[in-house]
Amino acid sequence: MNVPPPGVHDADVDRLFASSGPLGQAVGGFRPRQAQTEMAKAIAEAIAQQRTLIAEAGTGTGKTFAYLVPALLWGGKVIVSTGTKNLQDQLFLRDIPTVRKALSAPVSIALLKGRANYVCHFHLERTLQNGRMTSREDVGYLREISRFMKTTSSGDKAELSMVPETAPIWNLVTSTRDTCMGAECQYYQDCFVMKARKEAQQADVVVVNHHLFFADVALKDTGVAELLPSANTVIFDEAHQLPEVATLFFGNTVSTSQILELCRDVLAEGLSHARDGADWGQVVLPVEKAARDLRLAFPQDVVRLSVNQIAPSSIFFPALETMRSQLHGMIAVLEKQAERAETIEQCRTRAVELGYKLDGWNSTPIAGGGKKAGKAVVADEGEGSVLWVEAFSSSLQLHQTPLSIAPIFNKQREGVARSWIFTSATLAVKNDFQHYAAQMGLGDEPAQSWPSPFDYGQQGLLYVPQNLPQPNSPDYTDAVIDAALPVIEASGGRAFLLCTTIRAVNRAAERLRAEFEARHLDFPLMVQGEAGRTELLDRFRAAGNAVLIGSQSFWEGVDVRGEALSLVIIDKLPFSPPDDPVLAARIEALESKGMNGFMHHQLPAAIINLKQGAGRLIRDESDRGVLMICDPRLISKGYGRRIWQSLPPFKRTRELDAVQAFWRGDAVAE
């Protein structure tokens, strides 16, 4: 392989990002930024040398253009993976076409989503003929979808804004891996999933999201598996989300609700296609009972326990054994009847896969398939993983979660030489990438950071109020609201209150509603859960003086520029809950290697999360605002210094007067 010399594209990058260059001429408001140009050079070099780069770019650097320009010009076949479907649409519909046009780059682009995003001809037809609609609303939505199918070329449900993304009707008109007929389907030639995959195969640049990428690595069912071998460049934007997403997909989860759903389908398909083959009611009844009994092994409403926290005498273990054995019995019946209908064969396949997942909790193999099939499902045969249960009000989930995704992800990166770019605004802790690199198995790969162009010292103020109780005290949220109220008044609303738990969101909402009324404060209050995220944000921007209370989903990926958001209040440092079985197992594994679980894992993870929340405040060169962190540990604990040194370099204060002076535009002394 002939590797070009370092800096081979530097002069081109300088020309392209200059004010007189093609981007300056084509993109309104474009201004050269040194950090953006330097980042583009580093990515161009990583692409040319076919190597890995971890690239942290502060808010406002313009990282999207910094990776798209080299990718479109020199990246060959490129896969861009981003954090959410919204960002995926933004890249595909806006950012990539803008850069492609500015550079006159002759590249084709394709968008690839998971199969649940595309309307399925077969399932739509079936639902129109015999769908059991649960509401009048669904009947109207189905009519809209049917009309949409006559005009759409992509079948992507994102194009049909009249039907909410969360509407239950979508489950009846889309396919899953289990319910897809594949090449046997009469509509195979027109299938939108196949069409999207074919376009992705032929395109130069393919936009996917992290969930799709890792679902594919784990299940080989999303079309990415066919793309990877030919890709020269893989770019992960919002790469800080990868450890969590990958953990989700490289683990296994089996739930009692999946088993009950399978029973419903077995009963329906058995009665439709093989009524004389078995007493289908009696086939599913013992399996349903076993699933419900398994949930009842934990009388509490919500439970999270690792397997070694469950008492050996617990009825959970015999209930699990009964569940396996009853599922085994149902598989035996399905084996005999499977050839009578494709849909019964699909039920058999699903039952066998659920059996393999239960095998993650049992060593004895289940009937109906060889060990080989199980390996696709079981991530690592129980080695280096934690087994834990999670109970909800009406279902129980059994999880098998890998302690580290590094070895699994490294396996994906072996083989063909290509460049891997990992970029985000939050990958480092005080310019140290060790935590992220260790999580992803990126060891000694080069990592660089480019600072934000914003003048944080002038634009923002970090305020840590005095005299707050410890975060674990029962009245902590009330104390946060007491401290926040005068600041919210001084800012004229225009605030996000970011909480670490849903319970805190609900308590804060209750208190603020009452306080605003008592004090005659006319600030519209928006609370996570009362409407969808996009709708809440639109209302927040439009109001201009609103207060929005949210938990984790508002800590990142939210962009509110200008005066509408001038205050971000964070109730607590975002440490993972101490009762998390996966966290406990990871800490134990680190400590067995002589490392400190808190300093090497919990603290860096909390800092990266906090940087995301803090990043909501200053989104533009003209933004001004206050970041209020209420947690007294930021000051009282030795590690507090490491935390605030990782945040943007705001001026800092503990005085309410200084915050009020900041709003008045007076100079603030530290």
Side-chain angles (χ1 to χ4, degrees), residues 5-81:
V8 67
H9 296 302
D10 282 6
D12 292 325
V13 171
D14 280 329
R15 179 179 57 77
L16 294 166
F17 283 89
S19 51
S20 57
L23 291 169
Q25 289 167 28
V27 181
F30 179 85
R31 288 192 309 282
R33 282 168 274 193
Q34 191 187 347
Q36 185 181 48
T37 308
E38 295 303 321
M39 182 179 173
K41 287 177 184 174
I43 289 172
E45 187 163 321
I47 287 172
Q49 312 256 342
Q50 294 192 325
R51 59 177 175 74
T52 297
L53 176 68
I54 304 172
E56 182 184 70
T59 310
T61 307
K63 67 180 164 64
T64 309
F65 281 17
Y67 68 69
L68 283 179
V69 169
L72 266 55
L73 291 177
W74 308 298
K77 173 93 175 182
V78 181
I79 298 175
V80 180
S81 180

Side-chain angles (χ1 to χ4, degrees), residues 576-612:
S576 295
D579 64 344
D580 182 335
V582 179
L583 177 67
R586 284 181 172 159
I587 288 171
E588 199 179 315
L590 285 169
E591 292 182 346
S592 70
K593 295 176 190 164
M595 295 162 84
N596 179 311
F598 180 76
M599 295 305 286
H600 288 106
H601 185 76
Q602 282 171 285
L603 183 61
I607 289 174
I608 287 171
N609 204 348
L610 185 68
K611 282 171 72 174
Q612 277 293 330

Side-chain angles (χ1 to χ4, degrees), residues 472-487:
N472 57 0
S473 63
D475 55 352
Y476 183 74
T477 302
D478 286 299
V480 166
I481 297 302
D482 292 340
L485 271 164
V487 186

